[in-house]
Amino acid sequence: MMSFKESLDPIFKKLPAVASPEGHVHFKKKLMWTLGVLVLYFALANVPLFGLSADSIDLFEQYRAFFAGASNSLILLGIGPIVTASIVLQLLVGANVINLDLSNPSDQAFFQGAQKFMVFVMIVLEALPQIMGGYIQPDLDLATSLGVSGTIITILIFVQICIGGVLILFMDEVVSKWGIGSGVGLFIVAGVSQQIVTGLFNWQSDSSGLPIGFLPKWIYIIQNEELVTLFTTGQGLLYVLVTGGILALVSTILIFLLVVFVESTRIEIPLAHSAVRGARGKFPVKLIYASVLPMILVRALQANIQLIGLLLSGRGITIFGEYVGSQPINGIMYYLAPINSPYDWIPSLVRESFSSMGAPVPAVWQIGLHVFLDAVMLIGGGIIFALFWIETTGMGAKQTAQKVFNSGMQIPGFRRNVGSIEKVMVRYIPKVTVIGGAFIGLLTLVASLLGTLGGAGGTGLLLAVSIVYRLYEDIASEQMMEMHPMIRSFFGQD
């Protein structure tokens, strides 16, 4: 009898895919593909959904920094379906609901096919609730002028969102196969960078009448406020630090420096070539070995939990919490919501924020529990998803040992076989992964508590800085392989 895996494998193999390069892709061509996809991403982000009403609500507005989409645009969903599909599969594999050995190339190919299939499913599942729940609404005036019903416009909006989701999926695949780094990382950097630039220079005013950008804001403050009073009173200092954006500026600079420092912190395992005497190298095990991408999985998990709560609340089921717009104001959904800025945990600012929404202000102990649960999710989730990440991306001890062995390298003082190399890798990789996952979760929490320029959020800024650093290393690696083709064998490239 055909197994579940064998029955699905032919389906996954027939899914549309970007063709892989037959040989080595030169650095200039990779750079061109990467830049081309980046330009296309910005173009799609500025294509509005045809027929969308101005009354529509963006459910993922708070998560834009790491979902890399654009509100009311063709890429409304961003990388949400890709990340959610990865979460679902990693949890299923981790719980042995789907029994796969990810060190086996056949099982790894099945996992990748299943992930792509799941992305298509998630595109529909993330678009439909927003439309069925009435959060994405059709422009009825447009429908009347075209002589069609609102249902036709709604279907048209749904089709556009699905097309945008599929385009993001294949753009990510193009970058992964033909470009440098990953499309997911590239889109996150693009979105966060845009937010930070906006947070520095935007002259438009917010609801309080102050300019949004940091520099225009301080020009306005210097011209219109009594600086001595601001810097000598408690309330004035809070105004300077939070409203004035000083805390966000310091946090942005601090996180940038910390991530660069942590990315350069590593344990180096010595290697020697078995056939070429004197040829030596090192295998670096970074403190953030799994990168910061598992933080996307944590925040995406929180975003999907909030989406479920929001949809239930919209149907009148408020047992899990009530919402004002897309903001939870009580119940378990309030405690599970991510911390994004000082307005989520400083009592006086929380009071101000909730009062402006006309919602009951939570007690201090409730605010403290909210912060504690977010810390648990970030640190605990960072560890769990980091461990899943290294196994599903071929960075585990077993897979790494096999790559080192296949490259002709060995660890000096040990026999040249996969088992000996794996024993050394097991000493370091799992432990560093756990420590790095916990540390990056803690760093994300601190950045989220302090806030960042442009409202990019602690998670978004952390991801952007780390991805840019890794992109720099990838570019340096690509240039080195262009100069020394023999190095490609270590990375399994022809």
Side-chain angles (χ1 to χ4, degrees), residues 21 58 78 194 207 243:
D58 183 5
Q194 190 173 27
S207 57
T243 308

Side-chain angles (χ1 to χ4, degrees), residues 70 73 173 275 289 387 398 465:
S73 76
E173 199 170 339
Y289 183 67
L387 290 170
K398 186 175 181 180
V465 176

Side-chain angles (χ1 to χ4, degrees), residues 46-191:
N46 286 282
V47 176
L49 288 169
F50 178 76
L52 187 70
S53 169
D55 296 327
S56 298
I57 298 173
D58 183 5
L59 295 186
F60 295 111
E61 184 178 2
Q62 297 179 20
Y63 307 94
R64 281 293 160 218
F66 48 91
F67 271 2
S71 298
N72 306 327
S73 76
L74 194 62
I75 54 172
L76 177 76
L77 298 179
I79 61 171
I82 299 174
V83 174
T84 307
S86 180
I87 290 174
V88 171
L89 279 178
Q90 288 196 34
L91 290 176
L92 291 175
V93 172
N96 288 324
V97 175
I98 300 176
N99 192 15
L100 295 177
D101 177 10
L102 293 176
S103 62
N104 184 327
S106 174
D107 282 3
Q108 202 168 46
F110 179 84
F111 179 87
Q112 291 170 351
Q115 184 171 357
K116 177 176 284 188
F117 177 79
M118 189 65 73
V119 172
F120 288 117
V121 173
M122 286 302 166
I123 288 172
V124 175
L125 290 183
E126 289 191 11
L128 268 182
Q130 298 186 62
I131 292 175
M132 301 294 289
Y135 299 101
I136 292 178
Q137 300 179 18
D139 188 340
L140 297 180
D141 291 336
L142 176 65
T144 303
S145 64
L146 294 177
V148 297
S149 66
T151 304
I152 298 296
I153 299 296
T154 300
I155 293 172
L156 186 59
I157 292 172
F158 173 71
V159 171
Q160 292 175 80
I161 293 173
C162 290
I163 290 173
V166 172
L167 285 174
I168 286 289
L169 170 63
F170 287 116
M171 286 160 64
D172 172 56
E173 199 170 339
V174 167
V175 175
S176 300
K177 292 181 178 180
W178 293 87
I180 302 170
S182 73
V184 168
L186 187 68
F187 304 147
I188 291 172
V189 171

Side-chain angles (χ1 to χ4, degrees), residues 291-306:
S291 81
V292 297
L293 291 182
M295 281 297 101
I296 303 179
L297 303 181
V298 176
R299 286 306 197 199
L301 180 61
Q302 288 179 294
N304 283 286
I305 290 172
Q306 292 299 317

Side-chain angles (χ1 to χ4, degrees), residues 334-405:
Y334 167 71
Y335 298 115
L336 295 179
I339 300 290
N340 292 307
S341 73
Y343 284 90
D344 293 327
W345 65 277
I346 296 178
S348 61
L349 297 178
V350 173
R351 191 179 306 112
E352 178 187 327
S353 177
F354 273 67
S355 297
S356 66
M357 293 188 292
V361 179
V364 174
W365 70 267
Q366 292 176 305
I367 298 171
L369 182 58
H370 182 195
V371 174
F372 174 75
L373 288 178
D374 195 42
V376 170
M377 291 197 72
L378 285 174
I379 297 172
I383 293 171
I384 293 169
F385 282 120
L387 290 170
F388 281 158
W389 186 264
I390 66 170
E391 292 301 324
T392 56
T393 54
M395 296 169 62
K398 186 175 181 180
Q399 300 98 314
T400 302
Q402 188 65 54
K403 288 178 184 177
V404 171
F405 179 80

